[in-house]
Amino acid sequence: MAAYGAIMYVAMLLGAILFGYSMGVSPVISFNYGAKNKDELRNVYRKSMWIILILGVAMTVLAEACASPLSMLFSGGDDELYSMTLRGFRLYSISFLMTGFGMFGSAFFTGLNDGTDSALISFLRTLVFQVAAILLLPRWLDINGIWLAVTAAESLTLLVTVSLLAAKRRK
């Protein structure tokens, strides 16, 4: 529990950056969609995808680089807890590569006044995929399944988001 709590503190902080960007750009998307300014809408979409990708890579690298000192900080000198937390940080940090795309996808559909697809992405991401991954992955991967559950859920969310974006591209 201590190892999981330490990782969640970092995940919430880094996730807040991605969430803040996604929520902040949603009104810009909405404005351009309402104004029928397709060129600027496309521009905001492309730039946002690059920003999300760059942030995801940067956060993953940062989490990997800080895994040891943060694990030491939260383990309080317990070698076994340190080892478990370090392994968890290293596995969990992979999820930051994908986290922003699901958040942005949901915000993008909100900006396009498509609450159904936005809600679908959010519901699948935060409830269905994460719960399923937490229940299933530890059966095959032991404790590593817990650390990889969010990565699996974010990967599935990315597939759903890309599918919805591709399906609605012309619209």
Side-chain angles (χ1 to χ4, degrees):
M1 216 39 196
Y4 188 78
I7 293 167
M8 289 302 99
Y9 283 128
V10 174
M12 285 176 34
L13 176 65
L14 296 178
I17 294 167
L18 294 165
F19 183 76
Y21 176 79
S22 296
M23 292 301 106
V25 78
S26 187
V28 176
I29 292 165
S30 185
F31 174 81
N32 285 297
Y33 178 70
K36 297 184 184 350
N37 190 348
K38 292 181 182 179
D39 290 336
E40 187 57 26
L41 186 58
R42 207 171 291 117
N43 182 40
V44 170
Y45 173 79
R46 282 190 192 122
K47 284 181 180 176
S48 292
M49 288 305 217
W50 277 108
I51 289 169
I52 295 295
L53 177 65
I54 291 166
L55 284 173
V57 169
M59 288 178 180
T60 300
V61 169
L62 180 64
E64 287 286 336
C66 295
S68 182
L70 288 173
S71 296
M72 195 170 293
L73 177 71
F74 284 102
S75 67
D78 183 332
D79 289 341
E80 187 177 340
L81 180 57
Y82 168 78
S83 178
M84 184 188 315
T85 306
L86 180 62
R87 177 81 174 145
F89 261 116
R90 296 212 185 281
L91 291 172
Y92 191 99
S93 66
I94 300 165
S95 71
F96 296 126
L97 290 171
M98 294 157 280
T99 298
F101 292 104
M103 287 182 187
F104 175 75
S106 179
F108 185 76
F109 283 114
T110 298
L112 296 178
N113 199 30
D114 186 347
T116 303
D117 287 334
S118 175
L120 178 65
I121 292 169
S122 291
F123 179 71
L124 290 174
R125 177 180 174 266
T126 58
L127 188 63
V128 175
F129 293 152
Q130 284 191 23
V131 170
I134 287 171
L135 292 175
L136 296 174
L137 289 181
R139 293 180 184 199
W140 299 304
L141 303 171
D142 296 319
I143 194 163
N144 290 337
I146 292 172
W147 308 130
L148 290 170
V150 172
T151 301
E154 294 295 351
S155 298
L156 292 169
T157 302
L158 178 60
L159 290 173
V160 168
T161 302
V162 168
S163 298
L164 288 170
L165 288 168
K168 307 275 178 149
R169 185 177 179 121
R170 302 229 188 280
K171 186 177 177 184

